[in-house]
Amino acid sequence: MEPKQGNILISEPLMNDFHFGRSVILLIDHQESEGSFGIIINKTLNAGVSQIVDDFPDFDAPVFLGGPVSDSQLFFIHTLGELIPDSCPIIDGLYWGGDAETLKTLIATGIANEDNTRFYLGYAGWEAGQLVSELIRNTWVISNISIEQYLNTPPEQMWSSFVQQLGSPYEMWNRFPKNFEDN
């Protein structure tokens, strides 16, 4: 399967990396000639948006570790579509970014909430050809995700849940210990 916008990347279980170990990444964009970027969607940080961003409405939605690139920059994914100008579709009904001032207004009025908006510090990026090379080395498995899965699967359960959906060739992955020193 070739990577494309809206796919998820599921890390192989032996990856021993702070950012990418047992991670699930939503691909925001993939251009073979230009590179790829995505957001780690399953690693919650111990901070709310209001704690990270000054001049932000009182909104203590959790913030997630999006990736190691631009890790001091806050990004957001939402289902509000055209309500937020300059939003970019990822998959049908799920959007990346848009006008931050409009988002603040939607939060203040209760339209934007934890059920339809997620925040991420940083992103994951690959140079042209790098992601495909990692896929060939079996660093990642490509799968798909629905909006319901994205919004309703608890982040701490995403990796194992999505691995389980891959079927029998991957069932052993969920049996690997997270830390081999504990084995």
Side-chain angles (χ1 to χ4, degrees):
M1 182 186 267
E2 290 291 319
K4 66 179 183 186
Q5 178 178 318
N7 286 148
I8 58 171
L9 303 174
I10 302 168
S11 67
E12 57 90 5
L14 301 177
M15 188 182 298
N16 187 18
D17 179 271
F18 172 77
H19 290 97
F20 301 119
R22 301 220 176 193
S23 67
V24 177
I25 297 177
L26 177 62
L27 267 181
I28 306 300
D29 191 28
H30 172 74
Q31 302 294 323
E32 187 56 36
S33 61
E34 297 177 30
S36 309
F37 80 96
I39 296 290
I40 300 169
I41 60 173
N42 66 318
K43 298 195 176 192
T44 309
L45 298 173
N46 291 324
V49 178
S50 302
Q51 296 170 302
I52 293 175
V53 180
D54 293 332
D55 189 34
F56 204 81
D58 187 23
F59 190 64
D60 284 325
V63 176
F64 296 83
L65 173 66
V69 182
S70 295
D71 62 358
S72 62
Q73 190 170 356
L74 190 70
F75 301 96
F76 63 100
I77 295 175
H78 57 89
T79 61
L80 300 170
E82 295 178 6
L83 290 177
I84 301 179
D86 302 322
S87 296
C88 299
I90 302 168
I91 58 174
D92 195 30
L94 192 63
Y95 300 84
W96 164 260
D99 182 69
E101 292 305 314
T102 301
L103 175 63
K104 289 179 184 180
T105 301
L106 293 174
I107 288 170
T109 60
I111 295 171
N113 56 55
E114 290 184 49
D115 294 331
N116 58 30
T117 308
R118 301 281 189 281
F119 294 91
Y120 302 89
L121 276 177
Y123 67 92
W126 295 266
E127 295 178 355
Q130 183 182 1
L131 178 56
V132 170
S133 174
E134 291 180 13
L135 288 165
I136 290 168
R137 290 192 319 265
N138 297 313
T139 303
W140 307 99
V141 173
I142 298 173
S143 189
N144 293 306
I145 189 173
S146 69
I147 293 174
E148 291 76 22
Q149 289 172 307
Y150 169 73
L151 294 173
N152 298 324
T153 306
E156 66 277 1
Q157 295 175 15
M158 283 183 171
W159 187 87
S160 62
S161 176
F162 298 154
V163 165
Q164 186 174 3
Q165 291 176 20
L166 293 172
S168 60
Y170 298 93
E171 65 186 32
M172 286 294 293
W173 280 22
N174 272 321
R175 295 186 190 135
F176 281 58
K178 289 182 181 178
N179 184 346
F180 282 96
E181 293 173 2
D182 294 341
N183 193 9

